[in-house]
Coordinates of all heavy atoms in Angstrom, one line a residue:
I34 N -75.7 26.4 -31.5 CA -76.9 26.1 -32.3 C -78.1 26.8 -31.6 O -78.0 27.3 -30.4 CB -77.2 24.6 -32.4 CG1 -77.5 24.0 -30.9 CG2 -76.0 23.9 -33.0 CD1 -78.1 22.7 -31.0
T35 N -79.3 26.8 -32.2 CA -80.5 27.3 -31.7 C -81.6 26.2 -31.7 O -81.7 25.5 -32.7 CB -81.0 28.6 -32.4 OG1 -80.0 29.6 -32.3 CG2 -82.3 29.1 -31.9
Y36 N -82.3 26.1 -30.6 CA -83.3 25.1 -30.5 C -84.3 25.3 -31.6 O -84.8 26.4 -31.9 CB -84.1 25.2 -29.2 CG -83.4 24.8 -27.9 CD1 -82.0 24.5 -27.9 CD2 -84.0 24.6 -26.7 CE1 -81.3 24.2 -26.8 CE2 -83.4 24.2 -25.6 CZ -82.0 24.0 -25.6 OH -81.4 23.6 -24.5
S37 N -84.7 24.2 -32.3 CA -85.7 24.3 -33.3 C -87.1 24.5 -32.8 O -87.4 24.4 -31.6 CB -85.7 22.9 -34.1 OG -86.3 21.9 -33.3
E38 N -88.0 24.9 -33.7 CA -89.4 25.2 -33.3 C -90.0 23.9 -32.7 O -90.8 24.0 -31.7 CB -90.2 25.7 -34.5 CG -91.6 26.1 -34.1 CD -92.3 26.9 -35.2 OE1 -91.7 27.2 -36.2 OE2 -93.5 27.1 -35.1
E39 N -89.7 22.8 -33.3 CA -90.2 21.5 -32.8 C -89.8 21.2 -31.4 O -90.6 20.8 -30.5 CB -89.8 20.4 -33.7 CG -90.2 19.0 -33.3 CD -91.7 18.7 -33.2 OE1 -92.5 19.6 -33.7 OE2 -92.1 17.7 -32.7
V40 N -88.5 21.4 -31.1 CA -88.0 21.2 -29.8 C -88.7 22.2 -28.8 O -89.1 21.7 -27.7 CB -86.4 21.4 -29.7 CG1 -86.0 21.6 -28.3 CG2 -85.7 20.2 -30.4
C41 N -88.8 23.4 -29.2 CA -89.5 24.4 -28.3 C -91.0 24.0 -28.1 O -91.5 24.1 -26.9 CB -89.4 25.8 -28.9 SG -87.8 26.5 -28.9
R42 N -91.6 23.5 -29.1 CA -93.0 23.1 -29.0 C -93.1 21.9 -28.0 O -94.0 21.9 -27.1 CB -93.6 22.6 -30.4 CG -95.0 22.2 -30.3 CD -95.4 21.6 -31.6 NE -94.8 20.3 -31.9 CZ -95.1 19.2 -31.2 NH1 -96.1 19.1 -30.4 NH2 -94.4 18.1 -31.5
R43 N -92.2 21.0 -28.1 CA -92.3 19.8 -27.2 C -91.9 20.2 -25.8 O -92.4 19.7 -24.8 CB -91.4 18.7 -27.7 CG -91.9 18.1 -29.0 CD -90.9 17.1 -29.6 NE -90.8 15.8 -28.8 CZ -90.1 14.8 -29.1 NH1 -89.3 14.8 -30.3 NH2 -90.0 13.7 -28.4
M44 N -91.0 21.2 -25.7 CA -90.6 21.7 -24.3 C -91.8 22.3 -23.6 O -92.0 22.1 -22.5 CB -89.4 22.7 -24.5 CG -88.7 23.0 -23.2 SD -87.6 21.7 -22.6 CE -86.3 21.8 -23.8
A45 N -92.5 23.1 -24.4 CA -93.6 23.9 -23.8 C -94.8 22.9 -23.5 O -95.8 23.3 -22.8 CB -94.1 25.0 -24.8
N46 N -94.8 21.7 -24.1 CA -95.9 20.8 -23.8 C -95.5 19.7 -22.9 O -96.2 18.6 -22.8 CB -96.3 20.2 -25.2 CG -97.7 19.7 -25.1 OD1 -98.6 20.2 -24.4 ND2 -98.0 18.6 -25.9
L47 N -94.4 19.8 -22.2 CA -94.0 18.8 -21.2 C -95.1 18.6 -20.2 O -95.8 19.5 -19.8 CB -92.7 19.1 -20.6 CG -91.4 19.0 -21.4 CD1 -90.2 19.6 -20.6 CD2 -91.1 17.6 -21.9
S48 N -95.2 17.3 -19.7 CA -96.1 17.0 -18.6 C -95.3 16.4 -17.5 O -95.4 15.1 -17.3 CB -97.2 16.1 -19.1 OG -98.0 16.7 -20.2
P49 N -94.6 17.1 -16.7 CA -93.8 16.6 -15.7 C -94.6 16.1 -14.5 O -95.6 16.6 -14.2 CB -92.9 17.8 -15.3 CG -93.7 19.0 -15.6 CD -94.4 18.6 -16.9
A50 N -94.1 15.0 -13.9 CA -94.8 14.4 -12.7 C -94.7 15.4 -11.5 O -95.5 15.4 -10.7 CB -94.2 13.1 -12.4
A51 N -93.6 16.2 -11.5 CA -93.3 17.1 -10.4 C -94.1 18.4 -10.6 O -93.8 19.0 -11.6 CB -91.8 17.3 -10.2
E52 N -94.9 18.8 -9.7 CA -95.6 20.1 -9.9 C -94.7 21.3 -9.8 O -95.0 22.4 -10.3 CB -96.7 20.2 -8.8 CG -96.2 20.3 -7.4 CD -97.3 20.6 -6.3 OE1 -98.4 20.6 -6.7 OE2 -96.9 20.7 -5.1
D53 N -93.5 21.1 -9.2 CA -92.5 22.1 -9.0 C -91.4 22.0 -10.0 O -90.3 22.6 -9.9 CB -91.9 22.1 -7.6 CG -91.4 20.8 -7.1 OD1 -91.6 19.8 -7.8 OD2 -90.8 20.7 -6.1
F54 N -91.6 21.3 -11.1 CA -90.7 21.2 -12.2 C -90.6 22.6 -12.9 O -91.7 23.2 -13.2 CB -91.1 20.1 -13.2 CG -90.2 20.1 -14.4 CD1 -89.1 19.3 -14.5 CD2 -90.5 20.8 -15.6 CE1 -88.3 19.2 -15.6 CE2 -89.7 20.7 -16.7 CZ -88.6 19.9 -16.7
R55 N -89.4 23.1 -13.3 CA -89.3 24.3 -14.0 C -88.3 24.2 -15.1 O -87.2 23.5 -14.9 CB -88.8 25.4 -13.1 CG -89.9 25.9 -12.0 CD -91.1 26.5 -12.6 NE -92.1 26.9 -11.7 CZ -93.1 26.2 -11.2 NH1 -93.2 24.9 -11.6 NH2 -93.9 26.7 -10.3
I56 N -88.5 24.8 -16.2 CA -87.6 24.9 -17.3 C -86.8 26.2 -17.1 O -87.3 27.3 -17.0 CB -88.3 25.0 -18.7 CG1 -89.2 23.8 -19.0 CG2 -87.3 25.2 -19.8 CD1 -90.1 24.0 -20.1
Y57 N -85.5 26.0 -16.8 CA -84.6 27.2 -16.6 C -84.1 27.6 -18.0 O -83.1 27.1 -18.5 CB -83.4 26.8 -15.7 CG -83.8 26.9 -14.2 CD1 -84.9 26.2 -13.6 CD2 -83.1 27.8 -13.4 CE1 -85.2 26.3 -12.3 CE2 -83.4 27.9 -12.0 CZ -84.5 27.2 -11.5 OH -84.8 27.3 -10.2
W58 N -84.7 28.6 -18.5 CA -84.6 29.0 -19.9 C -83.6 30.2 -19.9 O -84.0 31.4 -19.8 CB -85.9 29.4 -20.5 CG -86.1 29.5 -22.0 CD1 -86.3 30.6 -22.7 CD2 -86.2 28.4 -22.9 NE1 -86.5 30.3 -24.0 CE2 -86.5 29.0 -24.2 CE3 -86.1 27.0 -22.8 CZ2 -86.6 28.2 -25.3 CZ3 -86.2 26.2 -23.9 CH2 -86.5 26.8 -25.2
D59 N -82.3 29.9 -20.0 CA -81.3 31.0 -20.0 C -81.0 31.5 -21.4 O -80.2 31.1 -22.1 CB -80.0 30.4 -19.4 CG -78.9 31.4 -19.2 OD1 -79.1 32.6 -19.4 OD2 -77.8 31.0 -18.8
N60 N -81.8 32.6 -21.7 CA -81.7 33.1 -23.0 C -80.7 34.2 -23.1 O -80.9 35.4 -23.5 CB -83.1 33.7 -23.4 CG -83.4 33.7 -24.9 OD1 -82.5 33.4 -25.7 ND2 -84.6 34.0 -25.3
A61 N -79.4 33.8 -22.9 CA -78.3 34.7 -22.7 C -77.9 35.4 -24.0 O -77.4 36.5 -24.0 CB -77.1 34.0 -22.1
Y62 N -78.1 34.8 -25.2 CA -77.6 35.2 -26.5 C -78.7 35.6 -27.5 O -78.5 35.5 -28.7 CB -76.7 34.2 -27.1 CG -75.6 33.8 -26.1 CD1 -75.6 32.5 -25.5 CD2 -74.6 34.6 -25.7 CE1 -74.6 32.1 -24.6 CE2 -73.6 34.3 -24.8 CZ -73.6 33.0 -24.2 OH -72.7 32.7 -23.3
C63 N -79.8 36.1 -26.9 CA -81.0 36.3 -27.8 C -80.8 37.4 -28.8 O -81.5 37.4 -29.9 CB -82.3 36.5 -27.0 SG -82.1 37.9 -25.8
V64 N -79.9 38.3 -28.6 CA -79.6 39.4 -29.6 C -78.2 39.4 -30.1 O -77.7 40.3 -30.7 CB -80.0 40.8 -29.0 CG1 -81.4 40.9 -28.7 CG2 -79.2 41.0 -27.7
H65 N -77.5 38.3 -29.9 CA -76.1 38.2 -30.2 C -75.9 37.5 -31.6 O -75.3 36.4 -31.7 CB -75.3 37.4 -29.2 CG -75.2 38.1 -27.9 ND1 -76.3 38.3 -27.0 CD2 -74.1 38.7 -27.3 CE1 -75.9 39.0 -25.9 NE2 -74.6 39.3 -26.1
H66 N -76.4 38.2 -32.6 CA -76.2 37.7 -34.0 C -74.9 38.2 -34.6 O -74.4 39.2 -34.3 CB -77.4 38.2 -34.9 CG -78.7 38.0 -34.3 ND1 -79.3 36.8 -34.1 CD2 -79.6 38.9 -33.8 CE1 -80.5 36.9 -33.6 NE2 -80.7 38.2 -33.4
L67 N -74.3 37.3 -35.5 CA -73.1 37.7 -36.1 C -73.4 38.3 -37.5 O -72.5 39.0 -38.0 CB -72.2 36.5 -36.3 CG -71.6 35.9 -35.0 CD1 -70.8 34.6 -35.4 CD2 -70.6 36.9 -34.4

């Protein structure tokens, strides 16, 4: 599956308590369309 725009929007708007929090965005299949 592919993350929806709403999920991405909420991901980009996270407010983590840890200043060193990181989203590890492994975009491995960005051009792998069937």
Side-chain angles (χ1 to χ4, degrees):
I34 66 163
T35 296
Y36 289 11
S37 69
E38 186 169 352
E39 173 66 8
V40 164
C41 293
R42 183 191 65 78
R43 292 175 70 177
M44 194 74 72
N46 201 36
L47 288 174
S48 297
E52 64 177 2
D53 51 352
F54 175 91
R55 293 293 183 271
I56 301 168
Y57 275 60
W58 198 250
D59 183 5
N60 206 352
Y62 306 109
C63 57
V64 292
H65 291 72
H66 310 292
L67 291 174

